[in-house]
Every structure is written in C-alpha cells, then in structure tokens.
Amino acid sequence: MERRVSTVISDNISRLRTEALERIAAAPSMEAVDAVRVEALGRKGALAQFSKDFGKLTPEERAEAGKALNAAKQEIEEAIERRRLGFESVALAARLEAEWVDLTLPAPGTRPGSLHPVTQIQQEIEDLFLSLGFTVLDGPEVETEYHNFDALNIPPDHPARDMQDTFWLDGGLLLRTHTSPVQVRGMEQFRPPLRMIAPGRVFRNEEVDASHEHTFYQLEGMMIDRDVSVAHLLYFMKILLTSVFRREVTVRLRPGYFPFVEPGFELDIHCLICGGAGCPVCKQSGWVELLPCGLVHPNVLRLSGIDPEQWGGFAFGLGLTRLAMMRYGIDDIRLLQSGDLRFLKQF
Ligand code: FA5
C-alpha cells in the first residue's frame, strides 16, 4: 500500500527531531549545540527543507505536516534552551569558585588592632557591675568647681583642695581631678536607691614618675540604699578584685581621709610588679594605693537633696590605670600613654 506523502514527511520530521534532540543532549559545549540549531532550525536547515515539499500536499495533509513541523521545532528549541541554562549555571559556578574572596580576612600585611589595656579592664569591670545591678554613667572632663569640689563637701577654703593639684580653666571651670563629681551628677539625675559606676579620664597637675601620670583613669562607684554598711562596701570590693585578678591578692585596709566619705579607707594592694620587695612603682614600700573608699558623708547626701537620716551609701574611686599596671605587670605608667606600638601590640 502506498504511504501518504504527509505520513512520510511526518516520519522524516520525527526522525530528524529525535536525532537533533540526541545531538543536543550529547553536545559538549554551547558551540556544538548552536551548530545543531543551525543544521536543524536554520533557514537552510533540515526542517526548512521539509516546508518545500508542502506544496505537494492536500490542505489537510499540509495542516497535519505543519503541525508536526512546528511541534518538532518547539521541542528542539526547548531542548536548546535547557542546555544553554545548564552551560550557564556550570560557568557561573566555576566563576564563583574562581573569584571567591573571604571578605572577613584581614588585609595582607596589616595586623588587627586591639583594645588598650585600660579599656579592656574598664569593660570587664563595667560588665561585672552591670551584672550586679549598677548603671554605668558618664560625666564631663571639663567640670564645674561645684561638682568637682563644693558638692563633695570640699568648700573653697578647705585644705583638702590642695590634695589634688588642679588644672584650672577660664570661667571657674577645671579639668576634673577625679571621677567623684559623677557621684554628684548621678545623685542629681536619679533618686535613691541608686547603684552606679563611672569610669573616666582625670587630670592632675603633678610630677610624672613610674606610678604617677598627669592624665590617668579612675572608676568611681557608688551605692545608696537603706542601711548600707562597711560590710557591703567590703563585699563589693572583694568581688571587684577577685574578678579582675582571678586569684587571691594581698590587700590591706587602712584609715584614709577624704572629705566626702566618713569613715574613709585606703585599700592598698601588695605590689605585683616586685612582689612586695620594693620597686619604683610602689616607691619601695611594697604597697600600691589602688582603691580608696568609704561611706558617703552625710553632707554629700544633703548637698544633693538626699536625706541622710533615710539613706546611706558607700563610694569608691578605683585607680583604673594603676589596676591595669598590676594586672598586666606594667612597671611604668608612662608606657600606657606613650602610643608606642611595640608596647601596645602585646595586648
Ligand atoms: C580620689 O581621687 C578620690 N576621689 C577617691 C575616692 C572616691 C575616695 C570615693 C573615697 C570615695 P585619690 O586622689 O587617692 O582619691 O585617687 C584615687 C586613686 O587614683 C589612687 O588610689 C590611685 O590608684 C590613683 N591615682 C591617683 N593619682 C594618680 C596619678 N597621678 N597617676 C595615676 N594614678 C593615680
């Protein structure tokens, strides 16, 4: 039986389609896929040749063969598109692999920086006191005479003013000589009960040596509540020193005079630079003044509007720079502000 021309054409289209699809699937590159595209779908390509024979067909046969031709074209085009996407994603993966850069790596040739030892110890102490319910306060380095002296029970003619050599500025202002004015600012800002610490830079017009700087750091602490006693003060001082040194250190407590506390104490630490044998840091005494403290003087509470009959408190003024010296075994305070990278790189 003679086969219809359209059937022959459809069979040929189907064969060509299968062949093209196989070649596309096996093509090793996009160039090879493109070559199949030209051969199969191009203007002079194999499928185009079939259209030439369409003239010999009846309208129905032409419709049938045309449908087969379009279906084959579409299938081949889709297969080409899939291969193109495949090649592109392989190329993209290879590019990402080749160009991958770890942006978190430090730039070659530079060393990562580190925090200054005083900053490190300050942050540790802040974390400790925050965990104990204290607030961290900040105060100005340029202070009023009132906050630095008067409100701390040191009136103008008081001899205690000579204990701290002051850098005076115009207009009765000064560079704060200690962090204690932040006690006053804390009491002005918050009502009792109150727990605060205030780390900061202080300034004194004094002779510089191995343990004295004109610019150094202190960390003030104050707690005001009902029935605060020396036992509370010592409890917090012990927690502070144990947390900083993580071992037993020898300290001594002796009476100390500060107009803003009564009773007042000096808490000295056995010199960790020389082990107590005597060195320039401890001025050959074996002890370093570190943590003066006491119970807040009633006049100080009263001057800030707090009734000393109702409330009491303790306060301390830690020598933060000296503490860093003891903790890291730094035998000269001047190194800390020298900006010498050979020194700073060790921390
Ligand atoms: C005061 O400054 C008081 N405001 C501390 C205070 C606060 C007492 C609250 C009671 C209640 P003093 O002048 O002693 O006290 O200084 C405190 C600490 O700062 C000293 O123990 C010492 O560790 C440190 N210090 C004092 N002068 C210098 C200096 N020139 N260089 C480095 N550290 C210093």
Side-chain angles (χ1 to χ4, degrees):
M1 197 178 84
E2 194 188 330
R3 295 178 72 208
R4 289 166 62 199
V5 182
S6 65
T7 314
V8 174
I9 293 176
S10 295
D11 285 353
N12 286 342
I13 290 173
S14 167
R15 194 172 26 77
L16 202 123
R17 189 204 66 196
T18 311
E19 209 179 282
L21 290 177
E22 279 170 8
R23 286 179 60 202
I24 289 167
S29 65
M30 200 54 212
E31 286 72 32
V33 172
D34 280 335
V36 180
R37 181 212 305 274
V38 173
E39 281 174 38
L41 306 178
R43 264 197 314 133
K44 293 182 182 157
L47 287 178
Q49 297 305 317
F50 289 118
S51 334
K52 288 185 186 159
D53 298 334
F54 281 14
K56 302 170 194 160
L57 304 176
T58 64
E60 297 81 46
E61 286 177 328
R62 199 177 305 141
E64 193 185 322
K67 221 165 131 191
L69 190 66
N70 285 339
K73 269 186 188 167
Q74 195 182 339
E75 225 178 308
I76 292 169
E77 271 161 5
E78 282 169 6
I80 291 173
E81 183 58 13
R82 274 197 301 279
R83 284 306 318 263
R84 192 182 63 74
L85 290 174
F87 282 123
E88 273 178 12
S89 68
V90 169
L92 183 65
R95 199 178 133 205
L96 287 177
E97 174 76 23
E99 293 179 5
W100 185 83
V101 185
D102 183 354
L103 295 177
T104 64
L105 279 179
T110 56
R111 279 174 50 91
S114 59
L115 292 177
H116 191 276
V118 173
T119 310
Q120 289 184 27
I121 210 158
Q122 175 184 323
Q123 291 184 350
E124 271 181 40
I125 297 174
E126 284 179 10
D127 288 345
L128 170 72
F129 277 94
L130 281 169
S131 77
L132 295 168
F134 283 66
T135 304
V136 181
L137 295 185
D138 202 8
E141 291 177 346
V142 172
E143 256 302 359
T144 62
E145 194 177 345
Y146 172 78
H147 286 93
N148 198 81
F149 291 124
D150 302 58
L152 290 165
N153 198 30
I154 320 174
D157 53 349
H158 199 287
R161 289 215 177 186
D162 301 335
M163 287 164 69
Q164 299 175 357
D165 298 305
T166 310
F167 287 111
W168 288 95
L169 305 173
D170 290 344
L173 295 173
L174 49 85
L175 292 182
R176 67 176 175 191
T177 55
H178 51 176
T179 43
S180 298
V182 193
Q183 286 184 25
V184 180
R185 292 184 177 277
M187 288 186 286
E188 284 170 354
Q189 196 181 346
F190 304 102
R191 303 315 298 165
L194 166 67
R195 292 180 186 200
M196 52 147 280
I197 58 165
R201 196 158 59 149
V202 302
F203 311 85
R204 288 188 195 176
N205 189 1
E206 47 176 272
E207 198 99 359
V208 171
D209 62 26
S211 57
H212 290 83
E213 260 289 8
H214 49 72
T215 303
F216 58 99
Y217 287 81
Q218 289 187 342
L219 187 139
E220 198 76 11
M222 180 184 234
M223 172 167 143
I224 298 180
D225 213 319
R226 313 264 181 205
D227 303 321
V228 176
S229 70
V230 173
H232 294 109
L233 167 65
L234 296 182
Y235 171 77
F236 281 100
M237 298 304 90
K238 190 160 182 217
I239 288 188
L240 168 56
L241 293 176
T242 316
S243 152
V244 168
F245 290 103
R246 297 185 199 114
R247 64 185 163 101
E248 284 288 310
V249 285
T250 311
V251 294
R252 73 176 183 193
L253 194 68
R254 57 193 170 91
Y257 173 68
F258 302 91
F260 33 96
V261 285
E262 181 56 38
F265 306 99
E266 287 280 6
L267 197 153
D268 306 331
I269 186 168
H270 207 212
C271 182
L272 294 174
I273 305 296
C274 60
C279 68
V281 172
C282 60
K283 296 230 169 60
Q284 314 303 331
S285 72
W287 295 95
V288 175
E289 282 182 11
L290 187 67
L291 190 45
C293 50
L295 295 187
V296 181
H297 196 289
N299 285 351
V300 172
L301 295 173
R302 216 172 277 123
L303 281 163
S304 287
I306 295 172
D307 181 358
E309 301 296 325
Q310 302 284 325
W311 302 96
F314 69 71
F316 62 88
L318 169 68
L320 198 57
T321 309
R322 290 223 185 126
L323 184 69
M325 293 174 74
M326 294 298 116
R327 158 88 171 258
Y328 297 112
I330 298 165
D331 63 4
D332 195 318
I333 198 169
R334 288 164 285 203
L335 286 166
L336 286 157
Q337 292 198 117
S338 63
D340 188 336
L341 286 179
R342 288 167 307 174
F343 167 73
L344 291 172
K345 272 178 187 167
Q346 299 173 63
F347 302 94

